[in-house]
Amino acid sequence: MEESVYKVIEITGSSKTDMEAAIQNAISQTAKTVKEIRWFEVLNTRGYVENDHVAYWQVTIKIGFHVDQKIQEESHMKSNVSVNKGKETSGKYRCLVCGYIYDPEKGDPTAGIEPGTLFEKLPADWKCPECGVGKDQFEPM
């Protein structure tokens, strides 16, 4: 067997139906931008309870994907650029419960949040428009 190099990332998937669907959602969404996925490992499982019933299953997994030499070189070049420019983020935040993405360029029209509003400037009582959780359940992208 040829020796390989893998990169590992941590992802949380969610599903209204069950844990397996949450895992599959995490892998399916990740596969849209990450190629050569080879394995996953379940780190933890939790749920979001609403009205005394499980509303969402959440499963955090590690995903391992194959890195070839070309990808390693590109990654190294990108990391050098980001080190030189400082920490850069897209400004977008992802809901850990349902996967909704808050995009400051779009705002949240359903809550009267104007386009251009940074996540940090959202009201403290702002809720995810998809599943209703608070800002503390979001992670930067």
Side-chain angles (χ1 to χ4, degrees):
M1 182 173 121
E2 185 178 317
E3 293 181 0
S4 297
V5 174
Y6 296 92
K7 181 165 179 73
V8 178
I9 58 175
E10 192 172 303
I11 302 289
T12 300
S14 66
S15 169
K16 291 182 179 182
T17 57
D18 59 36
M19 293 180 287
E20 289 181 18
I23 293 168
Q24 188 58 57
N25 288 340
I27 292 171
S28 296
Q29 286 296 320
T30 302
K32 290 179 180 179
T33 56
V34 174
K35 305 301 177 209
E36 302 288 332
I37 293 175
R38 293 292 183 243
W39 54 267
F40 74 93
E41 172 186 354
V42 174
L43 298 177
N44 68 46
T45 303
R46 63 185 175 268
Y48 176 71
V49 178
E50 191 173 81
N51 299 324
D52 299 329
H53 289 85
V54 176
Y56 288 93
W57 288 96
Q58 305 162 19
V59 181
T60 301
I61 61 175
K62 282 185 182 179
I63 295 178
F65 57 95
H66 183 257
V67 179
D68 67 19
Q69 186 61 36
K70 181 179 176 186
I71 293 172
Q72 288 177 25
E73 290 168 4
E74 289 172 4
S75 176
H76 179 69
M77 288 170 52
K78 285 180 185 175
S79 68
N80 284 342
V81 169
S82 64
V83 166
N84 292 335
K85 291 185 179 178
K87 287 189 175 180
E88 294 183 16
T89 63
S90 67
K92 297 178 183 178
Y93 280 71
R94 180 189 344 260
C95 178
L96 295 170
V97 175
C98 69
Y100 169 81
I101 296 174
Y102 176 78
D103 184 347
E105 290 184 13
K106 297 177 183 175
D108 179 8
T110 63
I113 306 296
E114 296 291 323
T117 304
L118 297 175
F119 184 83
E120 295 82 4
K121 299 292 184 184
L122 291 173
D125 62 348
W126 179 82
K127 304 283 185 204
C128 175
E130 295 289 322
C131 68
V133 299
K135 289 173 60 175
D136 62 323
Q137 293 296 311
F138 279 73
E139 66 180 353
M141 295 179 62

